[in-house]
Amino acid sequence: MSLRSMSLKSKLAEGRGGVLLFGITPPRRSATPEKIKEIAAVTLGRLAGLNLDGLILYDIDDESDRVADERPFPYLPTIDPVEFHTHLGDWDRPMVIYRCVGKYAEDELRSWLTTADTDRVLSVFVGASSGDKPVRTDLRRAQALRAEVRPELPLGAVVIPERHARGGEEHLRMLTKQERGCEFFISQVIYDAGEAKDLVSDYFYACRERDITPRPVIFTLSLCGSAKTLEFLKWLGVDVPRWLENTLLNAPDPLAESYREALAIAQDLREYCERLGMPYGFHVESVSIRKAEIEAAIRLTEELGRHLRATAVLSG
């Protein structure tokens, strides 16, 4: 097992912070084998210079049942992230593979859990996008199945600050998921640092009250280079403060403005978690097909990596 592979697993298992991840979507299902191979090669080239702890592969599901409004970008099915993982054979660091568990029958999940390389693979189980959506396996059963079949597979869960802002109980969901074996949490895209800090605070002190060690929370950042992307973020349920929405809509270069604000959000969350003693990390999501946005996401990841390394040196 490589040192890099051990690093991410040990950081998460031991509840340490400083994790840096980069997230992408697999190629479209309509892509030819040659195109998939090409995309894999380009992806590996872009990631080569990044000092990441791991790479996230999303499992894309249609969420149109969750929102009545029309989806700003059409839903385009992608290949299974497990399949795309096989095309990234030269990637020598851990892979965090998302599983939208409602898409899969229990036997399918069992088969994957049985064969997953737990030295290189971690997973995040995602439940249905709405309570009314038909599912083949629900989230609770999927978590139980992992505990039965492959408890050594590191498991994470999604956490949504917006849901906490509305109902005030997301930290309790986190505690429940932690009891079911979740070792880390990855947030929805964050554009409101205050909501994320409220959630982290409630979770941290709830853990203290119960004498439980808090698990790392990895904050997801994503850049916005156009009004259409902003509309899509809001459709996904991301809370964008009015002042920031106005700034992005009126900026001559919204991508540059978004980059600046993402760094400011990261700095705010980093300083707060350090003061609190809360283990944290960052995940830069890159799901755009626009070259400028992809390159900006790479730069953001590089800059966040420098900040995390500086923090680690100071704390060490």
Side-chain angles (χ1 to χ4, degrees), residues 36-175:
I36 293 172
K37 184 177 180 181
E38 176 188 334
I39 292 171
V42 170
T43 298
L44 290 170
R46 285 173 174 150
L47 299 176
L50 297 178
N51 189 19
L52 297 170
D53 288 293
L55 178 67
I56 287 178
L57 283 183
Y58 279 124
D59 191 6
I60 302 300
D61 197 13
D62 185 6
E63 298 184 27
S64 57
D65 59 296
R66 182 180 52 81
V67 182
D69 297 338
E70 184 179 353
R71 202 178 195 273
F73 294 109
Y75 168 65
L76 298 172
T78 59
I79 66 173
D80 191 317
V82 173
E83 178 187 345
F84 190 49
H85 185 199
T86 65
H87 293 274
L88 297 172
D90 291 337
W91 177 254
D92 64 347
R93 279 164 270 180
M95 191 81 68
V96 183
I97 297 179
Y98 272 51
R99 300 270 79 185
C100 292
V101 296
K103 293 166 54 176
Y104 306 100
E106 185 173 317
D107 286 348
E108 292 176 290
L109 287 173
R110 183 185 296 274
S111 175
W112 175 70
L113 286 166
T114 301
T115 58
D117 180 358
T118 55
D119 287 345
R120 298 185 62 206
V121 172
L122 304 84
S123 192
V124 171
F125 286 178
V126 183
S129 52
S130 75
D132 299 328
K133 185 170 186 174
V135 297
R136 302 175 73 186
T137 306
D138 66 30
L139 180 59
R140 184 167 185 172
R141 177 55 192 151
Q143 292 166 340
L145 188 64
R146 171 258 177 192
E148 295 167 12
V149 176
R150 210 67 185 282
E152 65 270 30
L153 176 72
L155 182 65
V158 173
V159 63
I160 303 176
E162 287 84 354
R163 192 159 60 191
H164 191 65
R166 290 161 178 71
E169 296 184 344
E170 186 72 356
H171 66 301
L172 301 179
R173 291 187 179 90
M174 294 171 71
L175 291 170

Side-chain angles (χ1 to χ4, degrees), residues 188-206:
Q188 180 170 271
V189 173
I190 292 174
Y191 267 76
D192 189 325
E195 288 184 349
K197 288 160 70 176
D198 284 345
L199 172 58
V200 165
S201 174
D202 287 344
Y203 170 65
F204 180 85
Y205 289 112

